[in-house]
Every structure is written in C-alpha cells, then in structure tokens.
Amino acid sequence: MREVNLKVGLTPKHPCSYLPERQEQLLVLLDRELLCLEGYEQLLSAGFRRSGSDIYRPHCQLCRACESLRIDVVHFAPSRSQKRIIRQNRDLSISLSEQEKPEYFRLYRRYINERHQDGAMYPASRQQYDGFLLCDWLPPVFMEVWLDQQLVAVAVTDLLGQALSAMYTFYDPDMEHRSLGSFAILSQLQLAARLNKSWVYLGYQVDGCKKMNYKRHFRPHQRLVAGHWQAMKD
C-alpha cells in the first residue's frame, strides 16, 4: 500500500467477537476518498476489512490475535478432504448475481436463527443483514448455490482488481453435512482463477477461536503479521 495518512477513529472497548474473555477496539476509517474499488484493495492489503459500507481494523493494545489471511490463488491446491467436498457437491450448480434478491435474506435469517443463536447476529433482522453485507460504494457479488431449483447457499464476495474478498457465506441448515462453507470458498477460488486474480481474502484468522480454524486448511496462504505478509505452512 502506498504511503498515505489515514483519517481514522477508535471505537470504545467492547467484548471481543472472537475471544469472549477479552475486550476489543477497532480503527474505523473516516476517509471517504478511499471508499472505492482501488482504495479498498489497498486497505485490504494493509489489514482492513469492510462491514457494510464501513472499513475497520482491529486495534487492541494488548492483543494481536487477529491476523488477516489471504489464499494464493495460483498456487492453491485442494487437500484430500477438500477434493472430497468438491466431489460430494458435484450435483450443485453455481450462478452469480450482482443484484440482491429477497430469497437471500430468507435463507440468511434461517441460517442465523438456527445455527448462531449464541452469536452477536442473533436474532437475524433485515436491518442487521443490510448493514453487514450490503455496501453503497462497492456492490458485492452474490454467488448462488443451487440444488435443482432450491437455493441452498449464498456466498457474498467483493470483486476487486487483483483479488476476491469473501465477505460471508450462509446456507440451508439442513445441508450442514455437505460442508457448504468450505465448498463456497473452493468455488470462490475457482472463480478467482478463471478471472486471473491473485488472492482470495478470508478476513481475520484467530488461532484461539475454534470457529475460525477452517481457514487454516486452505493452502498455501499468507497472514499479515506485524505489518508484513508472511507465507504460512501450517
């Protein structure tokens, strides 16, 4: 990222989303001129992330557990278990949409209310869905996953110049046995390869949070550690 002076605000401390016994603070971007495709791609490479139309980055004095993670598209090779997931879901079809559709929220609400009752997004609401996933300066792409005529999953992703940024995936809770979360990442990697992108960003990896450990299995990947991207071999 080129040298720039960012205008940011710092949130008050609040319970950490990933490590409940800790408190977190966030840097929130105030520079409107960087809210565009090119600006956001630079911010992603510096460890920022979007939530709705806002850009943020963890900024905790005593904790550095959150590390941005991105997958190397060109050199990615699916593991044996990931190949099984691809085979298991070969009866599914994928389509892309640039338009948000009413059926997305219905699936999202069911997913959150049945699978994440212990999370901050429960109970799901339309206001929370819009504020989390939609963006007024960078409309996301919606990757739809279909089983015959049934919409079973949606992966919300940002399409950038050199990368895809995976925002969030939600799916039919009855399809948990299909590992649709991992299937969605594998599908986004395939899309990135077709579009000649270099990276798929997966947000933050927190090793102490079991719910995040699935990201570590997509290799090779890099993590942003102390301001530098480092190749990880774990």
Side-chain angles (χ1 to χ4, degrees):
M1 183 176 181
R2 61 183 174 86
E3 191 75 22
V4 292
N5 293 317
L6 297 179
K7 297 178 182 177
V8 295
L10 183 63
T11 67
K13 292 181 180 180
H14 55 277
C16 178
S17 302
Y18 307 117
L19 303 173
E21 72 279 6
R22 301 189 188 182
Q23 297 283 301
E24 70 174 350
Q25 285 185 284
L26 304 175
L27 287 180
V28 181
L29 185 73
L30 303 178
D31 286 300
R32 296 296 301 180
E33 71 243 32
L34 290 174
L35 299 185
C36 61
L37 187 150
E38 295 82 5
Y40 182 43
E41 189 151 22
Q42 293 181 51
L43 291 164
L44 266 177
S45 69
F48 285 83
R49 183 85 171 152
R50 88 166 173 87
S51 178
S53 297
D54 296 326
I55 304 295
Y56 72 96
R57 186 176 73 185
H59 187 77
C60 305
Q61 284 187 324
L62 302 177
C63 180
R64 296 292 182 270
C66 294
E67 296 175 344
S68 293
L69 185 150
R70 64 186 186 184
I71 306 170
D72 184 335
V73 174
V74 174
H75 297 102
F76 171 74
S79 66
R80 186 177 301 176
S81 62
Q82 289 164 349
K83 289 178 181 178
R84 281 200 301 270
I85 290 172
I86 294 171
R87 289 196 302 270
Q88 181 184 16
N89 290 294
R90 60 183 178 269
D91 58 337
L92 303 180
S93 61
I94 292 175
S95 58
L96 301 178
S97 174
E98 296 181 354
Q99 300 294 322
E100 199 278 333
K101 301 176 183 178
E103 53 264 42
Y104 298 164
F105 175 67
R106 291 196 290 268
L107 183 60
Y108 172 89
R109 179 174 56 194
R110 196 171 154 227
Y111 173 77
I112 294 296
N113 289 352
E114 293 188 27
R115 284 188 50 85
H116 292 285
Q117 296 182 11
D118 58 343
M121 294 188 292
Y122 176 83
S125 70
R126 182 73 207 205
Q127 181 181 12
Q128 189 270 344
Y129 166 89
D130 289 349
F132 172 40
L133 295 177
L134 307 186
C135 180
D136 56 19
W137 50 267
L138 181 63
V141 172
F142 301 90
M143 177 179 281
E144 305 172 346
V145 181
W146 295 86
L147 176 61
D148 298 325
Q149 302 300 311
Q150 180 186 359
L151 180 68
V152 297
V154 176
V156 184
T157 189
D158 291 330
L159 182 59
L160 305 169
Q162 300 299 318
L164 268 63
S165 177
M167 270 293 296
Y168 197 67
T169 297
F170 48 94
Y171 54 84
D172 186 333
D174 293 340
M175 302 285 179
E176 183 177 3
H177 62 285
R178 285 180 174 263
S179 301
L180 290 177
S182 293
F183 178 73
I185 295 175
L186 293 165
S187 299
Q188 287 172 90
L189 282 162
Q190 292 173 349
L191 174 62
R194 291 199 302 271
L195 297 176
N196 294 315
K197 306 301 183 184
S198 299
W199 308 102
V200 171
Y201 285 83
L202 293 187
Y204 299 112
Q205 168 63 25
V206 181
D207 288 342
C209 179
K210 291 182 179 180
K211 292 181 180 180
M212 313 290 279
N213 284 342
Y214 68 92
K215 299 179 185 181
R216 301 172 59 176
H217 302 305
F218 293 88
R219 305 170 184 160
H221 67 255
Q222 296 183 351
R223 296 198 208 179
L224 189 63
V225 181
H228 301 281
W229 287 101
Q230 297 183 10
M232 308 300 290
K233 298 180 180 180
D234 63 336

